[in-house]
Amino acid sequence: MAAAPARCGGGGLSVCLASAGVVKALQVAAFTLAWTHSIEKTAWQEDWLVTPAGLTLQQARIKGTGAGMEPPPEARLVDGWFQWSPQPVQRAEVVLGNSGAAGEWHLCHAGRCQTLSEIFGHPIGANVTTMSVCRDP
């Protein structure tokens, strides 16, 4: 998943990532956001859809339970993951914080995952990253 200039163009959807004044655009219509819970050190994944109206969470998965990460009652255990599909809500933006206690956020698409630092080309550190649908200027 290569970072592209921060503009749409070409008629495709893109997700824009903004951190510390730098914006990167990724031409994807869907992606998985993956990370490790900072306290429990347990894997968490979310599948997102990029639409003209915003970002929509399609499914969430956690590889266990613990402090601040209890799956909802509708979650089902599948292959060791608690999985559920939340009510679809389109979000204008999603803010990703980074305490530095559990590693980095990973964006996965087409079988390939990259950390935010890899996408931006430099360490993100504790900077906040905002995800949104790229808008034409």
Side-chain angles (χ1 to χ4, degrees):
M1 182 168 48
R7 58 186 171 85
C8 285
L13 293 173
S14 299
V15 63
C16 278
L17 304 169
S19 184
V22 177
V23 178
K24 294 287 184 171
L26 306 175
Q27 283 201 318
V28 297
F31 63 92
T32 297
L33 182 63
W35 70 96
T36 301
H37 189 276
S38 61
I39 305 286
E40 298 293 335
K41 307 301 187 222
T42 301
W44 192 302
Q45 298 178 351
E46 294 177 342
D47 297 331
W48 289 87
L49 184 63
V50 182
T51 72
L55 300 172
T56 304
L57 178 59
Q58 300 291 296
Q59 186 180 66
R61 294 175 294 286
I62 55 175
K63 192 75 168 172
T65 62
M69 49 184 276
E70 296 77 20
E74 67 271 15
R76 299 293 173 251
L77 187 59
V78 179
D79 296 327
W81 291 83
F82 288 98
Q83 299 184 28
W84 68 97
S85 296
Q87 286 291 97
V89 175
Q90 294 169 332
R91 294 162 173 86
E93 66 180 24
V94 175
V95 178
L96 307 174
N98 187 354
S99 69
E104 287 200 56
W105 297 92
H106 291 77
L107 263 71
C108 307
H109 172 71
R112 182 168 180 235
C113 294
Q114 288 184 293
T115 66
L116 292 181
S117 291
E118 290 170 333
I119 292 168
F120 279 93
H122 59 83
I124 294 299
N127 288 311
V128 169
T129 300
T130 303
M131 299 189 311
S132 62
V133 176
C134 298
R135 304 287 179 208
D136 287 325

